[in-house]
Amino acid sequence: QSVLTQPPSVSGAPGQRVTISCIGSTSNIGTGYDVHWYQQLPGTAPKLLIYGNTNRPSGVPDRFSGSRSGTSASLAITGLQAEDEADYYCQSYDTALSGVLFGGGTKVTVL
Amino acid sequence: QLQLQESVPGLVKPSETLSLTCNVSGGSISGSRYYWAWVRQPPGKGLEWIGNIFYSGTSYYNPSLESRVTISVDTSKNHFSLRLTSVTAADTAVYYCARLSHGDSNWFDPWGRGTPVTVSS
């Protein structure tokens, strides 16, 4: 099934740690395809946050980290800050789709 | 620094053709390391991959849109383009162009600022 499932929303207080799951299947993450993560601040274009499951582009704080295991992946944000309030999307490749697949997105709210 | 900028078609009538161009500056669109892609985002919804093209012209499309989509590239003008035919209200979205890495692992970076397209009579 060509779907990457993310929770619609997660929230946390400043300073806390939150995680966002991205559940795939054997046609995408489970096949070994990398997972990438994007941050979309309100009213702006998505921005690459994590590539190749665990790598942070230059300029991305080390508060953001990614992991992948089996048919799922996760994005963790430690030391949550007000500026982290945004939508987050996972992305991978899907063999059934023969193309790129995005998760449905997760809205992070800082309480 | 590589920058991508979408053209601005704005309003398109139902059943007509949506045409967009992405101008690439700060780097060449030719080269074997990257694809050039279109992604869209309907109002209040998530991201949808439309398709991508290599500088040689080889293209790949989302099966759900493949019958209506054409992506082309003009290396002399350092830009690539999107055509979407027979549009309906469901095609109303912000359209982004982006560079997509080529190889075993494919991620989008950087992105254009996006251009909103409304399909309405």
Side-chain angles (χ1 to χ4, degrees):
Chain A
Q1 190 178 4
S2 301
V3 174
L4 297 178
T5 301
Q6 298 181 234
S9 64
V10 299
S11 62
Q16 284 190 330
R17 180 179 187 268
V18 296
T19 61
I20 301 170
S21 59
C22 175
I23 301 172
S25 68
T26 53
S27 66
N28 40 68
I29 301 174
T31 302
Y33 288 107
D34 286 346
V35 178
H36 319 290
W37 292 89
Y38 303 88
Q39 178 192 59
Q40 186 175 33
L41 297 170
T44 70
K47 167 193 160 187
L48 181 67
L49 197 64
I50 297 287
Y51 68 95
N53 306 309
T54 61
N55 303 293
R56 282 178 286 105
S58 174
V60 172
D62 60 6
R63 302 184 291 104
F64 295 93
S65 62
S67 63
R68 184 191 73 178
S69 178
T71 58
S72 66
S74 291
L75 173 72
I77 310 174
T78 57
L80 195 64
Q81 298 183 4
E83 66 201 51
D84 300 333
E85 198 160 274
D87 294 323
Y88 293 82
Y89 294 89
C90 61
Q91 175 246 309
S92 187
Y93 182 90
D94 189 274
T95 55
L97 181 64
S98 293
V100 171
L101 190 61
F102 285 100
T106 299
K107 182 175 182 59
V108 170
T109 301
V110 181
L111 301 172
Chain B
Q1 183 179 1
L2 190 78
Q3 292 187 319
L4 292 84
Q5 179 65 60
E6 303 89 351
S7 59
V8 186
L11 186 65
V12 183
K13 290 183 168 54
S15 80
E16 294 191 343
T17 296
L18 181 163
S19 295
L20 288 173
T21 294
C22 182
N23 292 296
V24 179
S25 59
S28 175
I29 203 169
S30 300
S32 60
R33 293 182 61 192
Y34 302 104
Y35 295 106
W36 303 92
W38 290 96
V39 176
R40 71 180 183 179
Q41 185 172 35
K45 295 188 177 181
L47 302 169
E48 181 182 31
W49 168 68
I50 299 172
N52 51 272
I53 192 165
F54 204 45
Y55 77 97
S56 61
T58 302
S59 55
Y60 305 85
Y61 302 124
N62 189 322
S64 69
L65 297 169
E66 189 165 17
S67 62
R68 299 193 293 127
V69 172
T70 302
I71 298 176
S72 58
V73 62
D74 188 332
T75 55
S76 67
K77 295 182 179 178
N78 220 42
H79 74 206
F80 61 107
S81 300
L82 169 70
R83 285 185 78 247
L84 182 65
T85 62
S86 305
V87 297
T88 69
D91 295 311
T92 293
V94 175
Y95 285 74
Y96 297 99
C97 60
R99 185 179 69 176
L100 177 65
S101 60
H102 178 266
D104 292 337
S105 189
N106 310 110
W107 62 87
F108 297 93
D109 182 57
W111 296 64
R113 295 177 68 176
T115 187
V117 174
T118 301
V119 178
S120 175
S121 54

